[in-house]
Amino acid sequence: ELKVEQNPLFLSMQEGKNYTIYCNYSTTSDRLYWYRQDPGKSLESLFVLLSNGAVKQEGRLMASLDTKARLSTLHITAAVHDLSATYFCAVDGGSQGNLIFGKGTKLSVKP
Amino acid sequence: DSGVTQTPKHLITATGQRVTLRCSPRSGDLSVYWYQQSLDQGLQFLIQYYNGEERAKGNILERFSAQQFPDLHSELNLSSLELGDSALYFCASSARGLATYNEQFFGPGTRLTVL
């Protein structure tokens, strides 16, 4: 069974600090997706990582992919309150067309 | 705004009833996916349609069904509703079949409450 595991599931940070969210997956997929969800809202696509070693950055967020280790990381630099949300990683569901999502990491950035 | 639309935004109904959720994909996207999000189960894939045909099924109950119409909009039908069906239902679309990767764009969701 294809599994996607994120940790931590809950993260309380102070503004200005750095932290990393980890996403481990059990498939051999070389594509990984990161999404952001605000409470009660939809999922917003953040990053699409398409190959081993891929790194993408947007503002204070940087995502990377190591397909050999089956690991992706989402690094947060100098956190600000606006980054408070739940972050999901997902991988392709193989022959099925769906994405398999992790349980999400609920990030709370406090002043 | 992802370009995916869903109606209604909220739906409150009683156990045993039947409801229909509607989704319009982004312009040009042929694939539509339905997901259920609940606190205990997380994001669960229900079903996928591609250009009018069912492509994949996930953890979809027999009481649930879906279809995709010639104009590519999709409907998810939920019947004999139970309290446990209360959840956020998302529709997503992608250009799968035209692109080499499967970035999916999510609609705003329909919050279903079964009383």
Side-chain angles (χ1 to χ4, degrees), chain A residues 31 33 35 37 40-48 50 88 92-103, chain B residues 2 33 35 37 40-43 45 48 56-58 88 90 96 100-109 111:
Chain A
R31 298 168 194 162
Y33 310 83
Y35 287 85
Q37 185 180 34
K41 303 292 186 183
S42 184
L43 281 84
E44 173 192 357
S45 179
L46 291 175
F47 299 110
V48 179
L50 297 177
F88 292 91
D92 281 318
S95 57
Q96 292 194 327
N98 59 296
L99 296 179
I100 307 293
F101 285 86
K103 290 187 183 296
Chain B
S2 67
Y33 309 80
Y35 292 87
Q37 186 179 36
D40 53 342
Q41 296 291 324
L43 267 163
F45 167 65
Q48 178 206 358
K57 264 187 174 180
L88 255 177
F90 286 109
R96 188 175 183 88
T100 59
Y101 55 91
N102 192 20
E103 185 181 15
Q104 296 182 12
F105 298 88
F106 283 73
R111 181 170 292 282

Side-chain angles (χ1 to χ4, degrees), chain A:
Chain A
E1 182 190 347
L2 201 158
K3 287 184 179 178
V4 180
E5 294 184 348
Q6 287 181 238
N7 71 82
L9 297 182
F10 297 93
L11 179 55
S12 182
M13 296 177 64
Q14 278 194 312
E15 281 192 329
K17 299 292 187 183
N18 304 332
Y19 210 82
T20 300
I21 298 170
Y22 297 89
C23 174
N24 290 90
Y25 56 96
S26 62
T27 180
T28 55
S29 174
D30 58 359
R31 298 168 194 162
L32 191 125
Y33 310 83
W34 283 96
Y35 287 85
R36 167 182 171 145
Q37 185 180 34
D38 291 305
K41 303 292 186 183
S42 184
L43 281 84
E44 173 192 357
S45 179
L46 291 175
F47 299 110
V48 179
L49 303 169
L50 297 177
S51 61
N52 186 40
V55 176
K56 288 201 173 178
Q57 183 162 6
E58 181 73 36
R60 300 173 188 275
L61 300 178
M62 183 174 71
S64 65
L65 179 62
D66 180 344
T67 59
K68 293 179 182 176
R70 299 184 187 177
L71 171 68
S72 179
T73 60
L74 181 66
H75 187 71
I76 303 152
T77 302
V80 293
H81 179 70
D82 284 353
L83 291 179
S84 297
T86 299
Y87 294 86
F88 292 91
C89 63
V91 297
D92 281 318
S95 57
Q96 292 194 327
N98 59 296
L99 296 179
I100 307 293
F101 285 86
K103 290 187 183 296
T105 296
K106 185 172 182 178
L107 172 66
S108 175
V109 181
K110 302 184 186 303

Side-chain angles (χ1 to χ4, degrees), chain B residues 10-23:
Chain B
H10 302 277
L11 204 45
I12 301 174
T13 188
T15 54
Q17 295 298 304
R18 173 189 168 94
V19 296
T20 297
L21 313 183
R22 183 188 168 103
C23 165

Side-chain angles (χ1 to χ4, degrees), chain B residues 58-99:
Chain B
N59 299 324
I60 189 166
L61 300 171
E62 285 191 11
R63 301 183 285 109
F64 296 0
S65 65
Q67 53 184 329
Q68 186 179 28
F69 295 86
D71 66 353
L72 301 178
H73 91 271
S74 177
E75 292 181 356
L76 179 67
N77 300 296
L78 314 176
S79 60
S80 302
L81 285 168
E82 301 175 359
L83 295 177
D85 297 328
S86 296
L88 255 177
Y89 290 84
F90 286 109
C91 165
S93 74
S94 78
R96 188 175 183 88
L98 302 177

